[in-house]
Amino acid sequence: MATYLEFIQQNEERDGVRFSWNVWPSSRLEATRMVVPLACLLTPLKERPDLPPVQYEPVLCSRTTCKAILNPLCQVDYRAKLWACNFCFQRNQFPPAYTGISEVNQPAELMPQFSTIEYVIQRGAQSPLIFLYVVDTCLEEDDLQALKESLQMSLSLLPPDALVGLITFGRMVQVHELSCEGISKSYVFRGTKDLTAKQIQDMLGLTKPAMPMQQARPGQPQEQPFVSGRFLQPIHKIDMNLTDLLGELQRDPWPVTQGKRPLRSTGVALSIAVGLLEGTFPNTGARIMLFTGGPPTQGPGMVVGDELKVPIRSWHDIEKDNARFMKKATKHYEMLANRTATNGHCIDIYACALDQTGLLEMKCCANLTGGHMVMGDSFNTSLFKQTFQRIFSKDFNGDFRMAFGATLEVKTSRELKVAGAIGPCVSLNVKGPCVSENELGVGGTSQWKICGLDPTSTLGIYFEVVNQHNAPVPQGGRGAIQFVTQYQHSSTQRRIRVTTIARNWADAQSQLRHIEAAFDQEAAAVLMARLGVFRAESEEGPDVLRWLDRQLIRLCQKFGQYNKEDPTSFRLSDSFSLYPQFMFHLRRSPFLQVFNNSPDESSYYRHHFARQDLTQSLIMIQPILYSYSFHGPPEPVLLDSSSILADRILLMDTFFQIVIYLGETIAQWRKAGYQDMAEYENFKHLLQAPLDDAQEILQARFPMPRYINTEHGGSQARFLLSKVNPSQTHNNLYAWGQETGAPILTDDVSLQVFMDHLKKLAVSSAC
Amino acid sequence: MNVNQSAPPVPPFGQPQPVYTGYHQSSYGGQPGSTAPPTPYGAYNGPVPGYQQTPLPGVSRAPPSSEAPPASTAQAPCGQAAYGQFGQGDVQNGPSSTVQMQRFPGSQPFGSVPLAPVVSQPTVLQPYGPPPTSAQVTAQLAGMQIGGAVAPALPPVGLGYGPPTSLASASGSFPNSGLYGSYPQGQAPPLSQAQGHLGAQPPQRSAPPQASGFTSPASGGPRMPSMTGPLLPGQGFGGPSVSQPNHVSSPPPQALPPGTQMTGPPGPPPPMHSSQQPGYQLQQNGSFGPVRGPQPNYGSPYPGAPTFGSQPGPPQPLPPKRLDPDAIPSPIQVIEDDRNNRGSEPFVTGVRGQVPPLVTTNFLVKDQGNASPRYIRCTSYNIPCTSDMAKQAQVPLAAVIKPLARLPPEEASPYVVDHGESGPLRCNRCKAYMCPFMQFVEGGRRFQCCFCSCINDVPPQYFQHLDHTGKRVDAYDRPELSLGSYEFLATVDYCKNNKFPSPPAFIFMIDVSYNAIRSGLVRLLCEELKSLLDFLPREGGAEESAIRVGFVTYNKVLHFYNVKSSLAQPQMMVVSDVADMFVPLLDGFLVNVSESRAVITSLLDQIPEMFADTRETETVFAPVIQAGMEALKTLFQPQTGAYQTLAKECVAQGCCVDLFLFPNQYVDVATLSVVPQLTGGSVYKYACFQVENDQERFLSDLRRDVQKVVGFDAVMRVRTSTGIRAVDFFGAFYMSNTTDVELAGLDGDKTVTVEFKHDDRLNEESGALLQCALLYTSCAGQRRLRIHNLALNCCTQLADLYRNCETDTLINYMAKFAYRGVLNSPVKTVRDTLITQCAQILACYRKNCASPSSAGQLILPECMKLLPVYLNCVLKSDVLQPGAEVTTDDRAYVRQLVTSMDVAETNVFFYPRLLPLTKSPIESATEPPAVRASEERLSNGDIYLLENGLNLFLWVGASVQQGVVQSLFSVSSFSQITSGLSVLPVLDNPLSKKVRGLIDGLRAQRSRYMKLIVVKQEDKLEMLFKHFLVEDKSLSGGASYVDFLCHMHKEIRQLLS
């Protein structure tokens, strides 16, 4: 067997799964002593170009409480045509179609390389994808123009049979009818009044036509399905209409007096969008795409009043309990989000404004439904334009990288139970034998709904070992977990992806080294971070930090090698060596620190952190820093102030920002124009190299990061300076004047101090 | 009758009296008993006949005329001549009285004529033939005098007439002849004769007539004698007769009046006409028969007619039937007289307290300091000085104000005065506006307010020297110092929220529910709107209208349209939340027509298409209006659903609501119309609308409604000089306090009736002043103040009051008062109140102004002789006495309409015009003279037009000549005429052209398009038509004119006793 690193990587590639522990402590007690819970990061729809879906349906265990799917871990009696469920040990007969089965003629789902397999369900009507644009018209003229262009462009990217709809809002909310010739028609709603789904449907005339009318036109039954069609039409039918309609969109005409914000009815607009889809296409893949250029200022869900002199809430206001609209608005959007999730639709939020737009209150709309959240300064930026375009990007098969209405079910072997999940999902509240009583994240269920997901959507799933200490697992025993994801593929097919994994049990007392060696510190860091962020949503920041610190200290105590009370003797094995550093950066990250961030920004960062895969998540926790110089090829360097040198160019990727930073000397050279001189072409190349690398990252990233090109002394350099480990500050005087980096003006502790302190605490017997 | 009989003693009067008695008896039926005398008369029907004939003379001249003829062809001429002399309508009216006085001699002839004509007693007449003339004259005089002055005058005549009178009485049926007769003659003879006649007649008549006639003042008759000859009572017929006399004598009376004052003036004018006409006719005819010209026509139907024909013998028999309708005051006659007397000369408003010509008369007005009667009409132009007097007389003091009345092209609209930045000059204390009545003092440095007597400084820029009479030198250069009506430009202080108004807007809200679509209404309307939008009202010479337009359609939900000119196609915005109405768009809803023409046209093309398949039958209403109002607001406020509140808010926002209803079922007009009512809007109702039949009517109304000049966001206030004040207001408006009439919209048809009460003593010398100030936004968006000033006389003699009354205006007030009363009181109470008040008015006159006469006589003031007939019409109207076929909606609709009608409209509404079409020569360009609205006036060989401002009927007699049928309907016989036809075929022959021209002419006169209904005699539709023959008994139980008159007489007598 190869190294654990290879094993982990291989598993991730094949199954999209990374566990914090790859050898599992075999008893409940020991598991809890491991500090980092047994958990995994699951990317349910991880792109698998090498995995063609099979065109038949899975075989289920016949036990009604189990219904696990036949997988390579099952024991099969080819002679008797029986198979034993590896979760409940039920013996099942193969279905008739499997009569030809034998050792040499195995169905794919029994082959070990198909631990992850995808089935295509042929049954059932396929319903088209639905895209409902909800567009804010209270924008500046050029912003609106840019948005209109983006929207028009998007029409060409949609699948031709997709249904589209358009709702615009400002002071009023307009639901546009798309099928009229000669006159453009819309239904208008007051932006201040919340309506129930029933009311909305009544007012839109979506309620089922009365019986007499059906009798009246017996000859035209085909009209029936399109009662709702007035608002949602196949793109190929109304392409031109909609393009014109978008073209004619005007800024909200209601006058906005000096000192006021425009009245923006975001809350009602969303409510109507949700109600519209709820009444017409429940449980069909649908995206509600909200484009907004400012905070909701009236009606339910308003975040701030229209008086400009009253600023939108800050973290300070929230701490002081001064955000008078926040709770109510949050409640409104939560209610909407839950309804949307129930209907299997998702809500995207594209918020582009210089000020906050209320993402804090609206975040759940995207978080609970698996929708996207994009934050930018203006719709007239490439950040928005390209991000939006990327939503409609296609995979190697030419399918859209989006899936809808997914249900994720987790099945565990009996020594395990599932404690919860953290990610863009909601609980389906399905109780079962494998549901733990303890909750981590969204728990109490074995099934979650993920209304919108893409190949990178990743959930953290937390387990609890329930095996009692006095009932040891037999040597060589393996624990198994099956992830079953049913979803609507962008081709509108229903599909089921099944991933079944197994790991060895180990007795923590006798085989701790095994367990230790199988620790995946990257996964663990991300999983712990998710827990921390999840807590941060409901708890005070300092409490979360304290909790994280305590976990770290306990981990160090458990796995560190040291002599009591002797910090200098403290050592961590390779498999743990990076973990404290992750935690250090996590503590400083915007996910847990709100200083310098608006509530909207925090929500935005947390949103993405809770859904990106391991690699991206790690970048978010600890940004990557590359250094470019004449001294050699580009190299990753420490995220440390000491890396900031005058003759280097730095490229930092924080996921949300790409920062290119020119050292002092480099900047001077560039200013002097050396790059334009033939004899200094190498300097030109040097300048170009990070740009090219940045482009590469930009191309692959969703959402588009903010791209910052700055230099020593530039105001934007703060993005870099705030991330690096402040190893040199104005406080450690001895560093002043040295040529080894740039001092950071901060009181934050450096990694060095942090580590020293950690060691001290870890070896202390006081804890 | 008994009374009469008893009366006989008083020979002169007695005669006439009998007639009256007849009335009493008949009308009251049981009552007669009370009036013991009546009974005998009852037998007499005779009196009735007398009435018939007489009435005419008195009221409706027609009849008398017939009589007259015989009496005096010669006379007639004289009469004419005389009139001519009096010449001017004025003279006739009596106003010219002074002149007349002198002319007496001349007048006599007239008088005679009429009297003689009195027709009724052709027989009698014949005998008297010769004498009558003189007698008549006297009679007339007498009538005029009524007041008493007459009496003196009469004497001389009387003598001469003595004999004739008797005749007259007999024939004239009292009125003229009778009265006169009584006087002059020694009464005795005439009486006897008269009585005889009467008596004879009555019997024939038989009870019935009496009953009906009630008039019978007969009883009065008897008294008459005692009373005074002059009063005409003799002729008695009491009321009618009296009136007649008035009429007849009017000219003379006027002269006489001075003395008699009371009756004098009124009587004269009308009579003149009537008498004249009759006279002429008679003359032509040669014999009595001719007199009745018309009657013959009626021929069969009317007993009377035949009578006439037979003149001598036969007539008598006929008369017996009952009170002769011709003997009671005739509206037609009064109208004709006024037309002839006053239509030719302009009415100059310079003199205080002048009674203007009747609304039915075409006359020009010259503004010389008082507002034209087109703007303001008063119930009386002579106000009692004290409230005691006013209480005694019970004559309501009211002004009917139509501030934005349309003027004929010959009259200039009010001048606009700009007082600059400081705004119109006003009294500092009472805030009255500068007007011709203000007194400048101290060399012009100050002025004394004519309303509150406060002395104000004249601002330097307004200073002007006074001439030797104390008048400003520039008085004639400044409209506000020399005219009764003018306008001020308002400054920003007069604008809502101190902001100049934005241009007004029209919002068309179109019902697109299933019914409206199916009936074709929507398509029709949209088509029409396309062209109609070019004719929005504009101010003065403006090239294009400043009014912006917006469109809304609705069924269960509302659809707003964005028709901004920059749009390629209109945008429709649906608002489904009708419970919480709002306007979904701001920009592009209200647009300038010419700028957005293309988009609007496109929209109007689309609307019928879009909803062509609609199945929506539900409609909403309140939200529709609310939406319209919201559209005019910039701010949103919470709304409640009640229409009342809604309407108030509309007013506050200056939103006027016009409502076109097309119900085919009950829609609760009463509730719906609250909003138009309170906002100064109009309601139009088209029951069971069908495009083919009602298209023209609707489109015509719509055009007019859209094109008429309107004032917006108006506030009207009426200021008065010390002593009286405005206490009550009637009309379509809203009042948030007790003085300001608020109208969201006010057009040239809308009228506000204002009632005044005394709060102090008035001064005869200074009179009473009214100033009506209307602050409004013109259709060009200009804020203006329109001022109307009117000075009235004050009197210490009740007689002056009665002589300067205007019955039409009085009816206008009483109808509105009663119609409002219906909302809070039982109909019966309201009716009784009206009757009582009317009786009190007349009783007061009888008691204080009429010369003494028998209690059995019905004596009516000349100016009010039509009060009973008109009042009866009001009482019989659908609102006060609804028949079974009148729906609640109809009642509400009518009630709502009447509320804002002006005098001319109420006049014709309550007493429809009935025009015979084939009587006058085809060539004659003028409208044929109307006939009285009674079935008896219809001849089955003739065709009639009837109109009341809302309805238009063409009645075809069963034996109309085939040629006429052919040339009008293009069918060969009566039976082939489609009953209920609403359009006459366009045929190229003189008769067809004339009739159609006449119909068009009538429609042009009215503010609403009248749909024509062709009714055939004996057809079932005739019921509908007969409803409008208001002198007859109505199906719903309304009394006939004769009956009512009798009843009224009884009431009066009760009051007097």
Side-chain angles (χ1 to χ4, degrees), chain A residues 688-761:
Chain A
Q688 189 58 40
L691 297 183
D692 293 342
D693 289 351
Q695 272 315 313
E696 209 168 300
I697 300 172
L698 287 175
Q699 290 311 321
R701 173 91 26 97
F702 178 93
M704 269 276 286
R706 180 187 292 266
Y707 178 59
I708 298 156
N709 203 333
T710 185
E711 59 182 26
H712 175 80
S715 70
Q716 307 246 53
R718 68 180 188 276
F719 286 101
L720 172 66
L721 300 183
S722 67
K723 291 293 178 191
V724 295
N725 168 35
S727 59
Q728 290 139 313
T729 72
H730 58 284
N731 288 328
N732 41 5
L733 291 173
Y734 60 89
W736 278 107
Q738 292 183 5
E739 283 299 308
T740 56
I744 312 294
L745 300 176
T746 179
D747 290 331
D748 288 357
V749 294
S750 67
L751 178 60
Q752 195 57 46
V753 175
F754 176 80
M755 288 305 290
D756 288 348
H757 201 62
L758 175 61
K759 287 176 189 166
K760 206 189 305 175
L761 289 170

Side-chain angles (χ1 to χ4, degrees), chain B residues 11-16 135 138-163 165-166 169 175-191 224-225 227-235 242 245 256 260 263 851-853 857 859:
Chain B
F13 300 107
Q15 296 176 347
T138 56
Q140 293 179 350
L141 294 177
M144 302 303 291
Q145 297 171 350
I146 294 184
V150 177
L154 292 178
V157 180
L159 295 177
Y161 297 86
T165 45
S166 63
S169 64
N176 310 328
S177 63
L179 296 175
Y180 299 142
S182 60
Y183 289 25
Q185 307 172 352
Q187 305 163 357
L191 289 178
M224 299 291 296
M227 299 297 284
T228 55
L231 289 189
L232 316 184
Q235 305 196 342
V242 174
L256 302 175
T260 49
T263 53
S851 40
S853 63
Q857 273 185 307
I859 305 180

Side-chain angles (χ1 to χ4, degrees), chain A residues 93-100:
Chain A
Q93 198 84 35
F94 278 108
Y98 284 69
T99 44

